[in-house]
Amino acid sequence: MTITRAHFPTSPLALRFTDPDRQAHARAFADQQATAATAARDRLTDLWAASQHRADRVAALSAVHADLIAWRYDLAVAAGGRLGQGIAHTPQRFRTPIAEGNINYDRVGRVGRLCEGAEWDPASRTYVGGTPTPAAEAMLKYGRAAEARFDEEREHGDVLQNWVTLPDGRRISGNRIVRGEAAKGIAEELTARVAARGIDASRMETGGIPIYTATPTAQDSKALFAAALEILADPDLTPETYLTARYCLFQAPQTKKGSDAVSRTFIVAVGALALGDAAPALPADIDLRCYVLGQAAATAAHASPVPDEGE
């Protein structure tokens, strides 16, 4: 199977502007992903051909995944800057592992800095005004979905725990969705972290009504990543178990930055080799689906991506 840019629908989070030319430039990243995925698939083909045991196949997957982390880091070094407003671009974080006590938090819901032309309001500690971009609209949509899950699952507290069920029946703690006072505590923690790195945190968007997703503990993340590789190494991999492995990968990002692109490129490469045309398509908003919707919704084979390709 030939891997093309069509296998990598652009994440709405990459579309932080309204200008069609800038959006087209962001979508062009799909060409780089297709090239990297092709190289990863070809290397995995050779490694698997020399593998005698399933453990060898797992080791090969781990090596290819490490290659893609290095690839994403090199791109970050070459980029020299970040999309839109936010804290300073730090390429080193694209290869820095997520460690215990320093898990990743991502804000969903209204994120004013994702609106083009938004201005900082120190009184509310939010960005106000501006024109909504696809990124801002996606965050707002998934913020509502996160709140809806608290209601649907009758969770009256501030923390909703996602669980991952593996094909063998094991359950592992996945990420969490955090709101209310606990979310305000996260906002304070993030501000302190950024300041501790010597970066100006005075315009970090901590006001409004924050909702965050929080990555699993380092131990659970390690277990989820290992489970994903074990599933993908199965010579009898099916589209259904592939979707479970994909969910595990996105539940367990490995680095402080860049894991989304690495996971997308890796899972497409493995799917192309192991399943060919039977590999389930990658939704454009796969990361947000996996962070917010829960396993059943995130692994639904019929899930359709957020339209973002102008088609």
Side-chain angles (χ1 to χ4, degrees):
M1 183 183 82
T2 301
I3 301 174
T4 72
R5 67 180 296 164
H7 290 93
F8 296 98
T10 304
S11 168
L13 296 184
L15 301 176
R16 303 184 177 194
F17 15 73
T18 58
D19 180 67
D21 290 337
R22 294 186 71 188
Q23 290 189 2
H25 179 73
R27 291 191 181 100
F29 183 54
D31 291 320
Q32 296 184 61
Q33 288 179 290
T35 298
T38 299
R41 180 205 58 198
D42 292 347
R43 185 178 183 213
L44 186 60
T45 300
D46 293 339
L47 291 172
W48 273 2
S51 297
Q52 297 182 354
H53 306 286
R54 187 159 171 173
D56 298 331
R57 291 168 65 89
V58 170
L61 287 164
S62 181
V64 169
H65 189 273
D67 287 347
L68 290 172
I69 289 176
W71 160 77
R72 186 63 188 91
Y73 165 75
D74 288 342
L75 290 180
V77 171
R82 61 166 293 152
L83 294 171
Q85 303 184 84
I87 62 175
H89 175 67
T90 310
Q92 184 61 34
R93 291 170 69 77
F94 285 77
R95 62 180 182 184
T96 301
I98 300 174
E100 197 69 62
N102 195 28
I103 63 175
N104 277 16
Y105 298 114
D106 290 293
R107 182 166 174 160
V108 296
R110 188 189 181 282
V111 183
R113 67 180 175 81
L114 296 178
C115 292
E116 194 169 58
E119 296 184 355
W120 175 246
D121 175 39
S124 65
R125 295 204 57 79
T126 63
Y127 286 88
V128 298
T131 303
T133 63
E137 291 168 346
M139 284 302 206
L140 188 59
K141 168 185 170 182
Y142 276 96
R144 291 168 178 160
E147 284 285 9
R149 282 197 61 200
F150 277 90
D151 294 336
E152 292 163 3
E153 300 183 25
R154 295 182 171 84
E155 174 55 67
H156 301 298
D158 286 345
V159 180
L160 190 152
Q161 175 68 60
N162 278 314
W163 291 89
V164 183
T165 302
L166 303 180
D168 62 7
R170 283 183 296 150
R171 293 179 80 222
I172 300 175
S173 299
N175 76 341
R176 293 167 292 131
I177 303 173
V178 186
R179 66 178 180 180
E181 290 302 313
K184 292 178 182 178
I186 287 174
E188 293 175 0
E189 179 185 340
L190 286 173
T191 302
R193 281 192 198 175
V194 170
R197 290 163 52 201
I199 297 173
D200 180 11
S202 63
R203 294 195 174 189
M204 283 188 63
E205 193 164 16
T206 57
I209 306 175
I211 305 174
Y212 290 93
T213 62
T215 52
T217 66
Q219 181 179 352
D220 287 331
S221 183
K222 182 179 179 180
L224 288 165
F225 184 70
L229 298 193
E230 283 286 345
I231 294 168
L232 293 172
D234 187 351
D236 298 318
L237 183 72
T238 67
E240 291 72 28
T241 54
Y242 172 88
L243 288 171
T244 299
R246 187 174 76 182
Y247 184 62
C248 289
L249 287 173
F250 281 93
Q251 278 283 304
Q254 296 297 291
T255 55
K256 295 298 293 180
K257 297 283 290 183
S259 282
D260 176 48
V262 170
S263 295
R264 287 170 183 256
T265 308
F266 178 72
I267 198 65
V268 167
V270 178
L273 175 58
L275 296 174
D277 291 334
L282 192 72
D285 57 354
I286 182 60
D287 50 341
L288 289 169
R289 286 182 185 274
C290 291
Y291 296 164
V292 174
L293 298 186
Q295 185 171 0
T299 58
H302 61 276
S304 59
V306 171
D308 73 339
E309 296 297 316
E311 296 180 354

